[in-house]
Amino acid sequence: MRIPGRPAAVLVSVAALAALAVLSGCTVRPPDGDGKQRSPVHVLLPSGTAPGPTGTRAHRPAAQPARPSGRVLWSRGDSGTGVRELQARLRQLDWLFDGPTGSYDDLTERAVAGFQGRRGLPRTGELDTATWQRLLAMTHRPGRWELYLMGGQPADPPDPRCLTGRVLCISKASRTLRWMVDGRTVETMSVRFGAQYSPTREGVFRVYWKSRHHVSTLYHSPMPYALFFSGGQAVHYSDFAARGYAGGSHGCVNVRDEAAISELFAQVRVGDKVVVHW
């Protein structure tokens, strides 16, 4: 049917819009009584929200990713005394079981990330100021042998008796052995000593016997690269990684670095001096 005063094309358009409105949940608006032209279709959005200024639905801003908690102090690849302290504190809380080594490696990174996640901090694996403050509040300041449980500590100045000749200069205070020739330090290595009831003797001695594949006749334990200097006490290799340098021997001076003790064994001669001091 043709409506007077309405062109055929307009009627077709209105009909098409009406059909589209039925399918999409829209409603057709009739002409206003004042004769003004307005959009024939009113869109009803499923969510009930009105269209935005550009005709699109308003939306919430995307969630922002968690930001690091302050300035980064250390991260993977860093090294130094600060990293060593970090590792010692992580060991106190059982987040780290190796070291301390002073090097921020993959194990340290994973330990930091685990600590951060447990405390509701961003799991970056980097030691930032917020993570450091939380760690400080939960741990005590590590002592010297917590920091150097597995060696690496600096050696004390050599005893005056070590400054002439060929000398194994052994310091109980710093738990180190210096191999010295005519006052010059050739090699330094970390060592451990006898326990409370089997202390390493102190004084000036001489190497009187070298035994490459020695086995203790008293304790039936291997003593490779043994350099005997006082009765049954010797400088020798001992792998004590599980307990660290804070442990004790039966009186011998233990070196954990096999490459270092192997080289030392090759250089030391019977008759060379041994000084054990504090």
Side-chain angles (χ1 to χ4, degrees):
M1 180 180 66
R2 179 182 181 87
I3 301 174
R6 294 284 184 176
V10 173
L11 293 177
V12 172
S13 299
V14 171
L17 288 171
L20 178 62
V22 171
L23 295 175
S24 61
C26 303
T27 59
V28 178
R29 298 178 59 174
D32 291 334
D34 56 6
K36 295 180 180 180
Q37 295 295 324
R38 290 180 171 86
S39 173
V41 178
H42 176 62
V43 180
L44 296 178
L45 298 176
S47 64
T49 57
T54 59
T56 59
R57 185 186 304 179
H59 63 279
R60 297 178 181 178
Q64 296 296 319
R67 296 181 179 179
S69 304
R71 180 171 60 90
V72 173
L73 303 176
W74 305 294
S75 59
R76 187 169 181 174
D78 290 337
S79 61
T81 56
V83 174
R84 188 177 290 275
E85 181 178 349
L86 164 65
Q87 293 169 329
R89 290 180 183 271
L90 289 170
R91 282 180 60 91
Q92 292 176 24
L93 300 177
D94 294 331
W95 280 107
L96 190 66
F97 298 96
D98 290 0
T101 63
S103 297
Y104 205 117
D105 53 13
D106 58 328
L107 296 177
T108 305
E109 185 177 59
R110 287 200 294 269
V112 170
F115 176 83
Q116 290 170 328
R118 184 65 63 86
R119 300 301 178 275
L121 298 168
R123 291 176 58 96
T124 64
E126 299 177 325
L127 197 282
D128 53 59
T129 52
T131 304
W132 182 235
Q133 290 302 318
R134 185 69 63 87
L135 189 60
L136 290 178
M138 298 180 63
T139 56
H140 64 263
R141 185 174 183 177
R144 184 178 188 184
W145 301 120
E146 287 180 276
L147 293 171
Y148 295 100
L149 180 63
M150 308 310 267
Q153 67 271 22
D156 283 347
D159 186 279
R161 295 169 293 181
C162 301
L163 299 179
T164 57
R166 298 164 56 87
V167 190
L168 292 171
C169 191
I170 302 168
S171 170
K172 284 187 171 181
S174 63
R175 297 181 181 176
T176 54
L177 180 154
R178 288 176 182 262
W179 167 231
M180 303 184 67
V181 178
D182 297 330
R184 179 178 62 89
T185 300
V186 178
E187 183 67 49
T188 303
M189 57 199 73
S190 301
V191 296
R192 73 171 184 176
F193 302 95
Q196 180 180 358
Y197 298 105
S198 55
T200 303
R201 303 180 188 96
E202 300 164 30
V204 179
F205 310 93
R206 297 280 176 180
V207 175
Y208 70 88
W209 183 28
K210 295 174 60 175
S211 181
R212 168 65 181 84
H213 301 286
H214 193 79
V215 177
S216 172
T217 56
L218 182 60
Y219 301 105
H220 308 289
S221 57
M223 299 171 56
Y225 305 101
L227 301 167
F228 286 91
F229 62 87
S230 177
Q233 295 189 356
V235 176
H236 68 84
Y237 170 72
S238 177
D239 183 7
F240 45 91
R243 293 179 297 278
Y245 284 99
S249 69
H250 292 106
C252 290
V253 178
N254 293 160
V255 179
R256 196 187 66 173
D257 188 336
E258 186 171 8
I261 188 63
S262 173
E263 186 175 347
L264 182 68
F265 185 86
Q267 295 182 45
V268 173
R269 307 168 187 165
V270 172
D272 285 345
K273 186 163 56 175
V274 178
V275 177
V276 182
H277 66 94
W278 278 98

